[in-house]
Structure formats: structure tokens, C-alpha cells
Amino acid sequence: MPAGWTQSTDVIVVGSGVAGLTAAMHARRAGYRVVIVTKSTVDQGSTKWAQGGIAAALDPEDSPAEHLHDTLVAGAGLCDRGAVDVLVTQGPESVRRLIALGAEFDRDDSGAIALTREGGHLRDRIAHAGGDATGAEISRALVDAVSLDSGIEVIEHALVIDLLLDTDGSAQGVTLHVMGEGERGGVGAILAPAVVLATGGIGQVFSQSTNPRVATGDGVAAALRAGAEVADLEFVQFHPTVMWCGPDSVGQQPLVSEAVRGEGATLVDSTGVRFMVGQHPLAELAPRDVVAKAIMRRMRETGEPHMWLDARSIGDQWPTRFPTIFESCLDHGVDPRSALIPVAPAQHYHSGGIRTDLDGRTSVPGLFACGECACTGVHGANRLASNSLLEGLVFAERIGAILADGLPERAEAVGVRPGPSGLLAAQSRAPMQAAMTDGVGVLRSAESVARAIAILAELGQHVDDDPCTETWENSNLHAVATVLAANAQARLETRGSHWRDDYPDRDDVNWQVRLSTRLGPNGELITERLRVEAQEGI
Ligand SMILES: Cc1cc2nc3c(=O)[nH]c(=O)nc-3n(C[C@H](O)[C@H](O)[C@H](O)COP(=O)(O)OP(=O)(O)OC[C@H]3O[C@@H](n4cnc5c(N)ncnc54)[C@H](O)[C@@H]3O)c2cc1C
């Protein structure tokens, strides 16, 4: 689609969550003109929904080495050790810089940052704000800082569609669709020799997710179309205790943090049986994937659409200990002080994404990625709780530092890489989400994944010539779902968040590898197996 208007800048940042805002601020500090493009308002994205906190070795008793160990264990042998090293070593300083910027974290009686523990961490290292409103506070502080800087322009309600490339295939800008009225309405182009993708998660690939509606994998799909490599797409974390809001409820669903189970809540079926007892030594506090799978199995055995979380023991502490979750329960007609909360697993986090090096560079020159849409390799096969906000912060800062050494070369943008013609029809979204939830969800098998792949192929035939937010997003969801399902079909083992019913064991002989995929000239998937060095004891 031809661009109706063009603008030029030094650095374009796509997305305004923790990763995008941090990258923008650091690029600005290096003296560049920065444009942030964001699909909705500047404060929308997963960041503001984050409840638990941000992990960093801030306690004098703790150390980056221990944080590294816990992260590698969660990643089940597939983490990039160098990336984890960067995360845990730079992490504490990055959090302190966030505090210096104005983010207010909860403090203990001595005035030190209060630290709590989450599943998989062997130390108290989760800093939190407003009890269970950490992401909202981080977002507030970053949005305030960015809005005070006149060198950063924010374009809201603007959907980035594709990357503009030069004759060498380097990124030189983006095409975007500004929704609404104004001098920049419709499809335009912004030119810059550095483009940072920070578009967040892929939650809307599935019928139910904790992610907001903007999480449609746009950055991953645009990067794929531009020829970039994506990795680890099969590793999707499903949160076990997401409030079940009825059989027809799709899209973003309310999360009930595992901290609620940490405070004594138990999982029961409709007959009151605590089915986690005997399944794992930690029962309800077993790792997230273990609990999610146990809930799914119990749902299948009983034919019930959800299980129940009994958190009545928290009693009068509810409004102060978990204010956000308490309000959300009340909004859905459940008073958790006296009633059980209906829960079922839902998509929560994507460990895979656009493959980057330790400084956020992708395989396309001039194109950088950070935050949930990126795959630095820190999460391996499963993300350790509260490492994602930290990853967004640390690696966005590193992109700023690399850009401070000089911008990539500016050249003429000649257009977008030719891709599949036609956009996916608006009515394809619900069947696509249902196919992915059924076939490539918490529990996978050769048969279930093949079923989803067949439906995706069929839906790919229903193209629509009406370019609008919904059809662009649907095409992006379809592109991400296609690679995700192909990788899930290829990986013949169970590891981390990838659970194959037909291959129930981890297979280090054949599968100590990461899958890295790019699109060939005819849109075909080209997948490479990247061997990961064995990590002692992991
Ligand atoms: C309910 C919930 C609870 C969580 N709890 C925690 C927690 O306690 N600790 C933790 O570490 N992590 C947590 N996470 C995960 C964490 O919040 C996210 O991984 C992280 O915030 C992602 O940050 P980001 O900057 O990469 O993306 P986001 O914050 O999602 O921002 C993405 C941005 O990109 C924009 N965008 C997307 N597509 C386009 C496009 N085409 N054009 C223009 N703009 C676009 C969006 O509008 C948005 O501004 C939680 C997530 C959820 C959903």
C-alpha cells in the first residue's frame, strides 16, 4: 500500500512497554531524535498488567551467580548462558536506575526495597510496587520520563505494518497506519537507519490469554517478513490460575497470581478434592507448567471447563495484600473471602521471538528488538518468574548503549520485502485462536498439532483485500501461529513449557537444540537447529 506521508528521524521505537520506553530514553540520551510509535495509548501493553514484580539480586545476601543458576534451571537446558549472565549481572544496576528515574518500589520497615520470592527462585529477589501493581508503577515512571523529553515524539494509535528496507536488505524505517483523524491519518512511512521492535507478546494467538488485546505478535511477524530469524517460538508459558469467565469469554482474562497460592490458597475440583496433592512435592506451589498441566488433565478427566481456587483462608487480608486481584474478582461477581474462584490455564508469556545478540541486534542490519517480542535466549525452554520485566529493561538499555557508539548507515529505503499477497479475513481470528488453543496449547501431541496446522493452512486461503487493523493483525497472528505450530510439531520431546503427550521425556541427545526459523524467498519456512552446550547439573 503506498505511503500517503513520510517523516524522517534517527531512531524509531515500535511499542511503549518497559522495553520500548527504556530503549527510547537511552537512544535519546545518546543525542538522537527518537519517534515512538504505539498501537493504542502510550500506557497500553503487558507491562502495566504485571503483578508480581521484577527479579534482581538486590539483597546483599543474594548474588548474580545464584540468580543465574535459578534462571538456567527454569530454562531446562536451553538458555543462552551468555545472555543470562548479562541479565543477572546488569539487572541490579538497571533496577536501581529505574528507581532513580522515579519508580517507587515497596519498602520494608528498615526502608530497604522489600523483596519477596516466587516459584523457581531460591532467594527472595522479587522487587514489587503497590503490592501487586508493579507493572503499572514501572509504566507510570517511564511514561512520565518520556513525556518530559521534547526530543522524543510519541505517535499513538498507530499500527506499524512492515519494515522498509534498502537495496542491501538493511532496515531503513517502517510503514504504519495511523488510526483516526489528523494530518498524519492513513498509511505513512517513517524513515530511520535504526528501528527497535518492542511490540510485546503474542497472547491473542490463543483464545484465552492474560495479555491485552494489543498483543498480536506484530513485531515478530514484521521481522519474519523482513527476513529476520525468529527462535524458540514453541516455548509458550501458560499460567495455571487465570480466572475462568465463562465458556464464551475470549481475549484478555484476569490473572490470579501464584502469590495467592503462596499465601495458602488451594486448588480443588468441583467435588472438593485437592488434586495437586501427591502430584508434586510442592503441591499447588509446583512449577507453573506442572500445575497448568495437572489442571488441564483434571478438566479433561472430569469434563469440567475449569477448576476452583480456594483462597478463603486469606480472609480480611485480601483487600490489602492483593488489591488488584481482589477488585478484579469482585468485578466478576466473586468475593474471594467467601467464595471459590473459578480458574483455568491460559496463555501468559512467550519465551521465543525475534532472535537477537547480546546487544539487541537481529539478523537484519539496522533492526533491533527487545522485550517480550525478542528472543535473547535468556528464558530457554521456560521463563523464570519475574525475569521478563528485567529482560526488557536490561536489553533495551544495551540497545541504547550500542546506538550511542553510532547509528547504522542511512540509505534510501526501496520498499518492503515481497511477501504473501492478501490479508487474513476478519472472521478468521476466532477459528484460528480455537485451533491453536486446542492443538498447540498446554498439552500437545502429533495429532493435535497436525489438526491445528491443517486449520491454519485452510484459513490462510481466506484472504481479504480490506486493509484494516483487524486484517493486518490477523495476518500477523497467522504468521506467528504457523511457525509456532511447525516448531511444536518438530520438537519430539517434552521440555520446559513444551509438553508433548506422545513424547513425555526430555531428550538431550536429539533435542539439546534451539530452533531458529526465517522465511525463504517464496515464503517457505527455513529452520536451523542450533546446538546448545550442555550446562552442568541443569
Ligand atoms: C497479567 C500479566 C502479569 C505479568 N506479571 C509479570 C510479573 O510479575 N513480572 C514480570 O517480569 N513479567 C510479568 N509479565 C510479563 C511482562 O509484563 C511482559 O513480558 C513485559 O511487560 C513485556 O514488555 P514489553 O515492553 O516487551 O511489551 P508490552 O509492555 O506488551 O508493550 C508492547 C507495546 O507494543 C505496542 N505494539 C504492539 N504491536 C504494535 C504495532 N504493530 N505497532 C505499534 N505498536 C505496537 C503495544 O501497543 C505496546 O505499547 C506479566 C504479563 C501479564 C500479561
Side-chain angles (χ1 to χ4, degrees):
M1 206 179 187
W5 53 272
T6 303
Q7 179 178 341
S8 214
T9 189
D10 297 324
V11 179
I12 300 167
V13 176
V14 187
S16 55
V18 61
L21 294 172
T22 304
M25 263 181 9
H26 283 260
R28 178 68 197 133
R29 279 183 199 160
Y32 299 119
R33 292 171 300 153
V34 179
V35 173
I36 299 176
V37 184
T38 192
K39 197 152 80 166
S40 176
T41 52
V42 70
D43 61 342
Q44 293 301 313
S46 290
T47 298
K48 80 163 193 181
W49 294 95
Q51 295 178 345
I54 184 164
L58 293 164
D59 187 324
E61 301 279 302
D62 195 3
S63 68
E66 289 168 84
H67 190 183
L68 178 129
H69 170 268
D70 295 348
T71 303
L72 294 181
V73 169
L78 288 193
C79 295
D80 179 319
R81 198 193 163 105
V84 181
D85 223 351
V86 165
L87 178 85
V88 298
T89 331
Q90 193 176 313
E93 272 313 304
S94 298
V95 174
R96 287 189 193 104
R97 275 191 285 274
L98 188 62
I99 292 168
L101 190 80
E104 290 189 17
F105 282 86
D106 297 335
R107 305 263 169 182
D108 63 19
D109 294 342
S110 71
I113 294 171
L115 297 170
T116 185
R117 196 174 297 201
E118 285 186 327
H121 291 272
L122 297 180
R123 289 261 186 205
D124 291 351
R125 64 167 73 97
I126 316 296
H128 45 89
D132 59 3
T134 311
E137 173 57 12
I138 291 176
S139 175
R140 183 207 58 77
L142 288 170
V143 169
D144 282 357
V146 162
S147 56
L148 288 175
D149 193 328
S150 58
I152 303 179
E153 182 187 2
V154 181
I155 306 180
E156 295 183 310
H157 302 291
L159 174 98
V160 164
I161 306 166
D162 266 313
L163 292 151
L164 287 163
L165 305 176
D166 62 22
T167 47
D168 293 336
S170 301
Q172 294 292 348
V174 297
T175 57
L176 69 166
H177 177 244
V178 181
M179 299 164 253
E181 306 291 315
E183 62 188 73
R184 277 188 309 213
V187 173
I190 306 182
L191 304 175
V195 179
V196 181
L197 293 175
T199 53
I202 61 152
Q204 305 309 318
V205 162
F206 296 89
S207 304
Q208 290 86 24
S209 169
T210 60
N211 294 184
R213 71 163 313 284
V214 288
T216 50
D218 297 356
V220 177
L224 265 171
R225 288 193 293 270
E229 287 173 29
V230 300
D232 298 347
L233 255 60
E234 68 274 35
F235 294 115
V236 180
Q237 196 172 72
F238 291 81
H239 200 287
T241 52
V242 176
M243 196 189 300
W244 184 82
C245 300
D248 302 322
S249 181
V250 294
Q252 187 177 17
Q253 314 289 313
L255 174 67
V256 184
S257 158
E258 71 189 65
V260 174
R261 278 172 280 137
E263 296 288 336
T266 56
L267 280 162
V268 293
D269 64 17
S270 61
T271 62
V273 172
R274 260 186 82 186
F275 56 90
M276 283 308 300
V277 174
Q279 299 236 10
H280 189 279
L282 293 173
E284 280 86 355
L285 288 174
R288 273 182 196 173
D289 52 320
V290 174
V291 181
K293 282 154 203 158
I295 293 178
M296 281 306 291
R297 288 224 167 88
R298 195 66 168 181
M299 281 163 54
R300 284 185 185 176
E301 279 161 20
T302 59
E304 289 163 9
H306 62 82
M307 292 287 118
W308 298 95
L309 188 67
D310 185 350
R312 290 174 296 181
S313 58
I314 297 171
D316 293 343
Q317 302 297 312
W318 257 109
T320 46
R321 179 65 187 87
F322 300 111
T324 315
I325 305 170
F326 181 63
E327 279 305 316
S328 151
C329 285
L330 294 184
D331 285 349
H332 289 84
V334 177
D335 183 339
R337 293 170 298 190
S338 55
L340 308 191
I341 309 169
V343 290
Q347 192 280 349
H348 183 54
Y349 183 77
H350 196 204
S351 297
I354 309 156
R355 194 169 155 222
T356 70
D357 68 7
L358 299 184
D359 295 312
R361 293 186 197 89
T362 71
S363 56
V364 170
L367 180 65
F368 301 80
C370 52
E372 193 167 337
C373 75
C375 183
T376 60
V378 297
H379 305 302
N382 210 0
R383 173 193 66 135
L384 181 65
S386 287
N387 265 356
S388 34
L389 289 170
L390 188 70
E391 187 201 24
L393 194 61
V394 165
F395 287 89
E397 286 189 348
R398 291 175 72 84
I399 293 174
I402 268 301
L403 292 177
D405 291 341
L407 285 178
E409 209 175 315
R410 209 183 277 268
E412 190 191 347
V414 291
V416 302
R417 192 169 177 252
S421 55
L423 295 165
L424 205 70
Q427 62 270 26
S428 298
R429 186 174 299 200
M432 172 166 53
Q433 292 172 326
M436 290 299 288
T437 304
D438 167 59
V440 200
V442 182
L443 301 173
R444 303 166 175 177
S445 68
E447 199 197 347
S448 78
V449 179
R451 212 163 48 227
I453 289 174
I455 296 173
L456 289 176
E458 219 276 305
L459 291 171
Q461 308 299 316
H462 299 286
V463 293
D464 191 325
D465 289 330
D466 175 26
C468 63
T469 303
E470 185 125 42
T471 52
W472 273 311
E473 285 183 346
N474 280 359
S475 302
N476 292 334
L477 290 168
H478 189 263
V480 172
T482 301
V483 182
L484 200 167
N487 285 10
Q489 187 177 48
R491 186 174 284 282
L492 304 179
E493 64 160 355
T494 286
R495 181 192 295 266
S497 56
H498 171 70
W499 191 282
R500 284 281 300 248
D501 262 349
D502 45 353
Y503 291 90
D505 300 319
R506 171 169 153 175
D507 175 359
D508 283 342
V509 175
N510 296 301
W511 286 102
Q512 185 84 16
V513 293
R514 297 172 59 200
L515 297 176
S516 176
T517 304
R518 65 189 166 83
L519 293 186
N522 301 313
E524 73 279 17
L525 305 186
I526 301 172
T527 297
E528 206 186 331
R529 292 162 63 101
L530 310 171
R531 190 91 210 155
V532 181
E533 288 298 311
Q535 295 152 5
E536 209 178 318
I538 305 296

mmCIF file of all heavy atoms in Angstrom, residues 203-208 216 250-251 428-439 456 459 474 477:
data_model
loop_
_atom_site.group_PDB
_atom_site.id
_atom_site.type_symbol
_atom_site.label_atom_id
_atom_site.label_comp_id
_atom_site.label_asym_id
_atom_site.label_seq_id
_atom_site.Cartn_x
_atom_site.Cartn_y
_atom_site.Cartn_z
ATOM 1 N N GLY A 203 -0.127 -13.047 22.843
ATOM 2 C CA GLY A 203 -1.244 -13.673 23.546
ATOM 3 C C GLY A 203 -2.469 -13.960 22.707
ATOM 4 O O GLY A 203 -3.128 -14.991 22.872
ATOM 5 N N GLN A 204 -2.786 -13.060 21.753
ATOM 6 C CA GLN A 204 -4.038 -13.229 21.007
ATOM 7 C C GLN A 204 -3.966 -14.356 19.977
ATOM 8 O O GLN A 204 -4.944 -14.622 19.272
ATOM 9 C CB GLN A 204 -4.472 -11.907 20.355
ATOM 10 C CG GLN A 204 -4.597 -10.739 21.332
ATOM 11 C CD GLN A 204 -5.441 -11.057 22.553
ATOM 12 O OE1 GLN A 204 -6.498 -11.696 22.437
ATOM 13 N NE2 GLN A 204 -4.984 -10.644 23.733
ATOM 14 N N VAL A 205 -2.824 -15.038 19.881
ATOM 15 C CA VAL A 205 -2.761 -16.256 19.050
ATOM 16 C C VAL A 205 -3.699 -17.318 19.639
ATOM 17 O O VAL A 205 -4.198 -18.181 18.920
ATOM 18 C CB VAL A 205 -1.300 -16.786 18.991
ATOM 19 C CG1 VAL A 205 -1.256 -18.239 18.529
ATOM 20 C CG2 VAL A 205 -0.450 -15.911 18.070
ATOM 21 N N PHE A 206 -3.939 -17.242 20.947
ATOM 22 C CA PHE A 206 -4.770 -18.236 21.635
ATOM 23 C C PHE A 206 -6.105 -17.602 22.053
ATOM 24 O O PHE A 206 -6.210 -16.383 22.160
ATOM 25 C CB PHE A 206 -4.016 -18.778 22.860
ATOM 26 C CG PHE A 206 -2.758 -19.528 22.475
ATOM 27 C CD1 PHE A 206 -1.545 -18.864 22.344
ATOM 28 C CD2 PHE A 206 -2.805 -20.889 22.190
ATOM 29 C CE1 PHE A 206 -0.393 -19.549 21.952
ATOM 30 C CE2 PHE A 206 -1.660 -21.579 21.801
ATOM 31 C CZ PHE A 206 -0.455 -20.907 21.682
ATOM 32 N N SER A 207 -7.090 -18.450 22.314
ATOM 33 C CA SER A 207 -8.430 -17.926 22.637
ATOM 34 C C SER A 207 -8.444 -17.167 23.962
ATOM 35 O O SER A 207 -9.144 -16.171 24.106
ATOM 36 C CB SER A 207 -9.444 -19.065 22.741
ATOM 37 O OG SER A 207 -9.470 -19.812 21.570
ATOM 38 N N GLN A 208 -7.703 -17.683 24.942
ATOM 39 C CA GLN A 208 -7.661 -17.011 26.237
ATOM 40 C C GLN A 208 -6.208 -16.701 26.598
ATOM 41 O O GLN A 208 -5.335 -17.563 26.450
ATOM 42 C CB GLN A 208 -8.255 -17.874 27.368
ATOM 43 C CG GLN A 208 -9.765 -18.056 27.296
ATOM 44 C CD GLN A 208 -10.153 -19.225 26.410
ATOM 45 O OE1 GLN A 208 -9.369 -20.140 26.198
ATOM 46 N NE2 GLN A 208 -11.365 -19.196 25.874
ATOM 47 N N THR A 216 -0.573 -8.987 19.545
ATOM 48 C CA THR A 216 -0.893 -9.800 18.372
ATOM 49 C C THR A 216 0.357 -10.201 17.582
ATOM 50 O O THR A 216 0.264 -10.516 16.394
ATOM 51 C CB THR A 216 -1.896 -9.058 17.455
ATOM 52 O OG1 THR A 216 -1.411 -7.740 17.215
ATOM 53 C CG2 THR A 216 -3.269 -8.973 18.069
ATOM 54 N N VAL A 250 -13.417 -14.800 25.476
ATOM 55 C CA VAL A 250 -12.145 -14.894 24.756
ATOM 56 C C VAL A 250 -11.382 -13.578 24.936
ATOM 57 O O VAL A 250 -11.941 -12.587 25.377
ATOM 58 C CB VAL A 250 -12.340 -15.188 23.248
ATOM 59 C CG1 VAL A 250 -12.924 -16.561 23.036
ATOM 60 C CG2 VAL A 250 -13.189 -14.123 22.593
ATOM 61 N N GLY A 251 -10.091 -13.620 24.574
ATOM 62 C CA GLY A 251 -9.252 -12.426 24.710
ATOM 63 C C GLY A 251 -8.624 -12.364 26.088
ATOM 64 O O GLY A 251 -8.385 -13.393 26.715
ATOM 65 N N SER A 428 -11.549 -14.843 10.465
ATOM 66 C CA SER A 428 -10.655 -15.989 10.689
ATOM 67 C C SER A 428 -10.083 -16.012 12.108
ATOM 68 O O SER A 428 -9.512 -17.022 12.516
ATOM 69 C CB SER A 428 -9.477 -15.933 9.718
ATOM 70 O OG SER A 428 -9.933 -16.010 8.409
ATOM 71 N N ARG A 429 -10.194 -14.893 12.846
ATOM 72 C CA ARG A 429 -9.484 -14.846 14.121
ATOM 73 C C ARG A 429 -9.971 -15.905 15.116
ATOM 74 O O ARG A 429 -9.164 -16.649 15.680
ATOM 75 C CB ARG A 429 -9.567 -13.453 14.751
ATOM 76 C CG ARG A 429 -8.693 -13.418 15.999
ATOM 77 C CD ARG A 429 -8.572 -12.071 16.643
ATOM 78 N NE ARG A 429 -7.968 -11.071 15.784
ATOM 79 C CZ ARG A 429 -7.413 -9.944 16.239
ATOM 80 N NH1 ARG A 429 -7.376 -9.708 17.525
ATOM 81 N NH2 ARG A 429 -6.909 -9.050 15.413
ATOM 82 N N ALA A 430 -11.275 -15.974 15.319
ATOM 83 C CA ALA A 430 -11.785 -16.906 16.336
ATOM 84 C C ALA A 430 -11.430 -18.359 16.015
ATOM 85 O O ALA A 430 -10.918 -19.080 16.887
ATOM 86 C CB ALA A 430 -13.287 -16.720 16.515
ATOM 87 N N PRO A 431 -11.662 -18.848 14.752
ATOM 88 C CA PRO A 431 -11.259 -20.235 14.473
ATOM 89 C C PRO A 431 -9.759 -20.476 14.589
ATOM 90 O O PRO A 431 -9.324 -21.549 15.007
ATOM 91 C CB PRO A 431 -11.750 -20.480 13.041
ATOM 92 C CG PRO A 431 -12.248 -19.203 12.515
ATOM 93 C CD PRO A 431 -12.444 -18.261 13.650
ATOM 94 N N MET A 432 -8.970 -19.458 14.233
ATOM 95 C CA MET A 432 -7.505 -19.610 14.356
ATOM 96 C C MET A 432 -7.127 -19.762 15.833
ATOM 97 O O MET A 432 -6.352 -20.646 16.207
ATOM 98 C CB MET A 432 -6.834 -18.366 13.745
ATOM 99 C CG MET A 432 -5.349 -18.281 13.954
ATOM 100 S SD MET A 432 -4.603 -17.017 12.862
ATOM 101 C CE MET A 432 -5.555 -15.552 13.188
ATOM 102 N N GLN A 433 -7.694 -18.902 16.683
ATOM 103 C CA GLN A 433 -7.391 -18.975 18.119
ATOM 104 C C GLN A 433 -7.850 -20.311 18.702
ATOM 105 O O GLN A 433 -7.141 -20.931 19.500
ATOM 106 C CB GLN A 433 -8.089 -17.827 18.862
ATOM 107 C CG GLN A 433 -7.525 -16.453 18.529
ATOM 108 C CD GLN A 433 -8.356 -15.336 19.130
ATOM 109 O OE1 GLN A 433 -9.579 -15.447 19.233
ATOM 110 N NE2 GLN A 433 -7.708 -14.252 19.518
ATOM 111 N N ALA A 434 -9.034 -20.761 18.289
ATOM 112 C CA ALA A 434 -9.564 -22.027 18.820
ATOM 113 C C ALA A 434 -8.669 -23.188 18.399
ATOM 114 O O ALA A 434 -8.376 -24.090 19.199
ATOM 115 C CB ALA A 434 -10.994 -22.236 18.312
ATOM 116 N N ALA A 435 -8.195 -23.159 17.138
ATOM 117 C CA ALA A 435 -7.329 -24.241 16.654
ATOM 118 C C ALA A 435 -6.024 -24.277 17.432
ATOM 119 O O ALA A 435 -5.531 -25.347 17.807
ATOM 120 C CB ALA A 435 -7.052 -24.046 15.163
ATOM 121 N N MET A 436 -5.459 -23.108 17.706
ATOM 122 C CA MET A 436 -4.182 -23.063 18.437
ATOM 123 C C MET A 436 -4.372 -23.486 19.897
ATOM 124 O O MET A 436 -3.535 -24.177 20.469
ATOM 125 C CB MET A 436 -3.586 -21.649 18.359
ATOM 126 C CG MET A 436 -3.080 -21.275 16.981
ATOM 127 S SD MET A 436 -1.755 -22.375 16.386
ATOM 128 C CE MET A 436 -0.379 -21.895 17.420
ATOM 129 N N THR A 437 -5.490 -23.085 20.504
ATOM 130 C CA THR A 437 -5.736 -23.440 21.908
ATOM 131 C C THR A 437 -5.941 -24.945 22.045
ATOM 132 O O THR A 437 -5.398 -25.583 22.954
ATOM 133 C CB THR A 437 -6.992 -22.687 22.419
ATOM 134 O OG1 THR A 437 -6.766 -21.291 22.199
ATOM 135 C CG2 THR A 437 -7.250 -22.933 23.895
ATOM 136 N N ASP A 438 -6.688 -25.486 21.104
ATOM 137 C CA ASP A 438 -6.973 -26.925 21.147
ATOM 138 C C ASP A 438 -5.744 -27.755 20.789
ATOM 139 O O ASP A 438 -5.428 -28.740 21.452
ATOM 140 C CB ASP A 438 -8.117 -27.224 20.150
ATOM 141 C CG ASP A 438 -8.266 -28.713 19.896
ATOM 142 O OD1 ASP A 438 -8.502 -29.428 20.879
ATOM 143 O OD2 ASP A 438 -8.117 -29.149 18.732
ATOM 144 N N GLY A 439 -5.003 -27.335 19.751
ATOM 145 C CA GLY A 439 -3.954 -28.201 19.218
ATOM 146 C C GLY A 439 -2.549 -27.916 19.702
ATOM 147 O O GLY A 439 -1.708 -28.811 19.763
ATOM 148 N N LEU A 456 -4.894 -23.961 10.130
ATOM 149 C CA LEU A 456 -4.162 -22.733 9.771
ATOM 150 C C LEU A 456 -4.001 -22.646 8.251
ATOM 151 O O LEU A 456 -4.178 -21.570 7.661
ATOM 152 C CB LEU A 456 -2.776 -22.719 10.423
ATOM 153 C CG LEU A 456 -2.721 -22.503 11.941
ATOM 154 C CD1 LEU A 456 -1.282 -22.620 12.444
ATOM 155 C CD2 LEU A 456 -3.298 -21.135 12.332
ATOM 156 N N LEU A 459 -7.325 -21.690 6.744
ATOM 157 C CA LEU A 459 -7.670 -20.279 6.993
ATOM 158 C C LEU A 459 -6.818 -19.342 6.139
ATOM 159 O O LEU A 459 -7.258 -18.258 5.762
ATOM 160 C CB LEU A 459 -7.488 -19.939 8.478
ATOM 161 C CG LEU A 459 -8.484 -20.590 9.439
ATOM 162 C CD1 LEU A 459 -8.072 -20.354 10.887
ATOM 163 C CD2 LEU A 459 -9.893 -20.037 9.193
ATOM 164 N N ASN A 474 -4.626 -10.016 12.063
ATOM 165 C CA ASN A 474 -4.898 -11.437 11.807
ATOM 166 C C ASN A 474 -3.786 -12.080 10.991
ATOM 167 O O ASN A 474 -3.406 -13.231 11.233
ATOM 168 C CB ASN A 474 -6.231 -11.599 11.059
ATOM 169 C CG ASN A 474 -7.412 -11.497 11.991
ATOM 170 O OD1 ASN A 474 -7.239 -11.326 13.190
ATOM 171 N ND2 ASN A 474 -8.605 -11.592 11.448
ATOM 172 N N LEU A 477 -0.949 -12.666 13.377
ATOM 173 C CA LEU A 477 -1.233 -13.813 14.257
ATOM 174 C C LEU A 477 -1.034 -15.120 13.499
ATOM 175 O O LEU A 477 -0.459 -16.086 14.012
ATOM 176 C CB LEU A 477 -2.685 -13.737 14.771
ATOM 177 C CG LEU A 477 -2.986 -12.624 15.777
ATOM 178 C CD1 LEU A 477 -4.498 -12.471 15.973
ATOM 179 C CD2 LEU A 477 -2.307 -12.910 17.112
#
